[in-house]
Amino acid sequence: MAERDLARLLQGMEPVLWAEPYGFAVATGPLAMQPFATVAEAEGLTVVAPLAALAAAGMSSDPWARISLTVHSDLAAVGLTAAFATALAAEGISCNVIAGVHHDHLFVQWDRREAALAVLVALSRA
């Protein structure tokens, strides 16, 4: 069952850092890969995928780390995004979020991934 209570969401975040870098790129034609996510914008289709898959498809990106929150968050829950964004911002870490039906997926700068994970773990134990 999806959780809406902010205290339980924070305690149950259990962030998982994915091992490979991800990237963001704009597709200019048919996709030659299975992306993690896409966002249709007026300027084009943004593709989020492992960096190696983007490179193999001829797309380039800066490296981003994917951290998934394993708690089953309700899309109508209030405050979770604000809580982790505020905690990460206090450490100077930018965060891009993609919310799925079951989980939130955070993308942070690759070189700040360990620091971001530490911030999220500390927030879940506060």
Side-chain angles (χ1 to χ4, degrees), residues 10-11 17-19 24 38 46 51-52 56 71 85 88 97 103 106 108:
L10 292 171
Q11 291 172 349
L17 174 62
W18 291 71
F24 290 71
T38 60
T46 297
L51 199 57
V71 67
L88 291 167
V97 183
H103 307 287
L106 291 55
V108 300

Side-chain angles (χ1 to χ4, degrees), residues 3 6 16 18 22 25 30 36-37 39 41 55 63 68 86 98-99 104 106 109 117 121:
E3 183 61 62
L6 181 58
V16 172
W18 291 71
Y22 278 69
F36 169 71
V39 179
E41 300 178 291
S68 297
T86 299
I98 297 175
D104 293 292
L106 291 55
Q109 298 115 320
L117 185 61
V121 168

Side-chain angles (χ1 to χ4, degrees), residues 8-83:
R8 286 197 294 252
L9 284 167
L10 292 171
Q11 291 172 349
M13 285 193 311
E14 297 183 31
V16 172
L17 174 62
W18 291 71
E20 71 273 336
Y22 278 69
F24 290 71
V26 175
T28 57
L31 294 179
M33 73 180 94
Q34 178 66 40
F36 169 71
T38 60
V39 179
E41 300 178 291
E43 298 84 358
L45 183 68
T46 297
V47 177
V48 183
L51 199 57
L54 289 176
M59 295 184 251
S60 63
S61 172
D62 291 332
W64 292 87
R66 175 181 166 193
I67 300 174
S68 297
L69 305 182
T70 59
V71 67
H72 184 180
S73 55
D74 192 308
L75 289 169
V78 176
L80 178 60
T81 303

